Amino acid sequence: MKLGIGIGWRPEIAEAVEALPGIDWVEAVAENICTGHLPDSLVRLRERGVTVVPHGVSLGLGGADRPDPGRLADLAARAELLSAPLVTEHIAFVRAGGPRVSSPVLEAGHLLPVPRTRDALDVLCENVRVAQDSLPVPLALENIAALISWPGEELTEGQFLAELVERTGVRLLIDVANLHTNHVNLGEDPAAALDELPVEAIAYVHVAGGVEKDGVWHDTHAHPVTGPVLDVLAELRSRVDPPGVLLERDDDFPPAAELAGELDMIRTTLDGASADAGRLARGVRPSAPAGASTPSDATRDRLASAQTALLGALVAGGPAPQGFDRERLGVQRRALAAKRAGVVAKVAPELPEILGRGYRDAFLSYAGGRPMSGGYRRDALDFAEQLLIAGRPADAAARRRLTHWWQDRAGAHPPRRTTRLVRAARAALIGR
């Protein structure tokens, strides 16, 4: 299916997306779509004939456990609601722990890399087949950006993706910004990865911005698209004409004119590079080893132990697993905590308002040894509760406001409107 040029739909830029010229399709984060009420902007776009593709972020198909049936059902429902031609997810794990390793479930709040080993590939392939059987439309999977690499990997990224496609028939969502990220952070050659890919399996392509800090590339989706990322797009275009290319932007949204300018740069890059039959040759793809298509419980247990140890080091203050670069683990740990603080500030904007400049340091201190237990809204409540238990913030008025905020959201029954108005008036009288 030919998708054309698209942009990631986000509520913050919904009006701008509707007004942008030449938009053929949009992609929306599946978990942010309520099946009971489609946002008016998406309704209008669909009425204009604009295709909407749901993009999942929480399945964790690269994890040790089989996909959660409830999450799969939710993704399927969104695909049907949007009459989407396909759905997309990531080659990543997002949680670990649980009964398989007799530990609490740890949530990363982020996409983490799967080890490129035979064991992990066997598990991923079976998880993908389970997902494919549960979805009403084809599935495409995205390569992710990484700050860290696993020790003892047996396959390159291109080989890993090629065998995944060969064994499952899944489509690929190739993010050229992620290929650039892995080039800077892990020394992986984007052109070599593209040479090994089954480019005919590409469903569409992501393009996004990032920033380099102290020699590490952060795939922020909050900065302009850079020349090196467009160079990777040109490399891909020299091998194949992708069915669709989409600009992603998730934060620090620029004016509509800047978004339009980035889309024009993408079009210019695609027009300036043409598919060359001489570049289509790839390395020989490995065939699936006999008996590897169905992983044993022992295989899943080994993967579960390894992923739990890594995630424990990143979000729960655990020791660094053997073989990992400790410095890079520290970078990843700080990046996860910073992202967590930023998302909590978005879902609970009252917290930085109440705590002022002290919000970020207080949250990072809290997050250092306390992993998420149930999503970002639960995280916000737990953070506020820990502050109150510790008698913070020191300012009495701010502590009262935080207490009322926590009670309003943690109680069995939310306070009535009159109670909220009385509290607001009291806060105003005491100068907040």
Side-chain angles (χ1 to χ4, degrees):
M1 175 183 178
K2 188 71 173 176
L3 290 169
I5 299 295
I7 189 170
W9 182 91
R10 303 293 184 265
E12 297 90 338
I13 53 171
E15 291 185 10
V17 168
E18 289 186 64
L20 284 171
I23 294 298
D24 303 307
W25 65 293
V26 299
E27 179 193 78
V29 176
E31 288 80 358
N32 292 344
I33 298 174
C34 177
T35 54
H37 177 69
L38 198 61
D40 292 341
S41 174
L42 288 180
V43 172
R44 289 190 293 269
L45 287 168
R46 291 187 64 225
E47 289 173 345
R48 283 168 37 189
V50 175
T51 298
V52 182
V53 173
H55 185 53
V57 297
S58 65
L59 271 185
L61 292 173
D65 292 320
R66 291 175 177 82
D68 177 75
R71 295 180 190 276
L72 283 173
D74 287 343
L75 188 55
R78 283 153 179 79
E80 292 177 334
L81 175 69
L82 296 166
S83 300
L86 77 163
V87 296
T88 58
E89 249 286 354
H90 298 82
I91 301 169
F93 79 100
V94 297
R95 63 188 63 85
R100 189 177 290 278
V101 290
S102 302
S103 78
V105 175
L106 299 174
E107 292 283 347
H110 190 69
L111 303 163
L112 294 175
V114 175
R116 298 174 197 151
T117 61
R118 292 288 178 190
D119 277 1
L121 182 58
D122 288 346
V123 171
L124 175 63
C125 286
E126 185 178 53
N127 288 351
V128 168
R129 286 190 288 268
V130 170
Q132 288 170 319
D133 290 343
S134 302
L135 296 170
V137 293
L139 172 67
L141 295 180
E142 179 180 353
N143 60 302
I144 71 162
L147 290 173
I148 54 177
S149 59
W150 286 80
E153 293 193 317
E154 300 163 341
L155 300 166
T156 66
E157 180 165 35
Q159 291 169 340
F160 193 85
L161 296 178
E163 189 165 328
L164 171 65
V165 170
E166 186 173 272
R167 290 168 57 173
T168 65
V170 75
R171 307 292 300 281
L172 294 177
L173 193 182
I174 295 300
D175 190 314
V176 294
N178 291 348
L179 290 177
H180 172 68
T181 300
N182 295 345
H183 170 63
V184 176
N185 294 346
L186 308 178
E188 298 178 351
D189 182 2
L194 291 172
D195 282 340
E196 293 174 327
L197 285 180
V199 293
E200 68 280 359
I202 294 176
Y204 62 88
V205 174
H206 272 174
V207 181
V211 65
E212 186 172 348
K213 294 181 179 178
D214 300 324
V216 175
W217 187 267
H218 296 269
D219 179 47
T220 63
H221 293 193
H223 292 81
V225 176
T226 63
V229 170
L230 293 175
D231 290 342
V232 181
L233 177 62
E235 280 280 352
L236 184 147
R237 178 64 183 91
S238 73
R239 291 157 172 78
V240 68
D241 183 8
V245 179
L246 180 127
L247 172 66
E248 283 190 296
R249 187 77 178 228
D250 293 330
D251 207 348
D252 290 341
F253 299 102
E258 290 187 28
L259 293 174
E262 290 196 288
L263 289 165
D264 286 341
M265 286 194 301
I266 289 172
R267 294 186 183 96
T268 299
T269 300
L270 293 171
D271 291 341
S274 59
D276 178 356
R279 301 290 299 277
L280 292 177
R282 298 184 301 276
V284 176
R285 282 185 267 161
S287 58
S293 59
T294 303
S296 66
D297 285 342
T299 298
R300 287 186 178 272
D301 289 346
R302 287 194 299 272
L303 183 62
S305 295
Q307 291 180 337
T308 302
L310 174 58
L311 193 49
L314 293 175
V315 304
Q322 186 175 2
F324 280 93
D325 184 318
R326 292 175 180 271
E327 184 177 347
R328 281 300 174 87
L329 282 180
V331 173
Q332 181 71 85
R333 184 187 305 113
R334 291 188 292 273
L336 289 177
K339 177 182 177 180
R340 193 172 154 193
V343 177
V344 166
K346 285 186 176 182
V347 302
E350 301 88 352
L351 293 180
E353 179 188 341
I354 293 170
L355 299 174
R357 293 181 179 179
Y359 164 76
R360 184 177 175 83
D361 286 345
F363 188 90
L364 293 179
S365 176
Y366 151 81
R370 295 182 180 86
M372 284 197 299
S373 60
Y376 287 108
R377 287 179 173 80
R378 180 72 256 173
D379 205 23
L381 286 171
D382 291 345
F383 168 56
E385 183 178 30
Q386 290 298 318
L387 286 179
L388 293 171
I389 290 173
R392 298 172 60 196
D395 179 75
R399 193 164 60 252
R400 280 194 295 271
R401 288 189 65 202
L402 185 62
T403 299
H404 293 154
W405 180 91
W406 183 85
Q407 290 173 336
D408 289 352
R409 289 152 183 81
H413 301 285
R416 294 181 178 180
R417 183 172 182 271
T418 302
T419 302
R420 295 198 302 270
L421 291 174
V422 169
R423 288 178 180 172
R426 186 184 298 130
L429 288 173
I430 64 175
R432 297 182 181 271

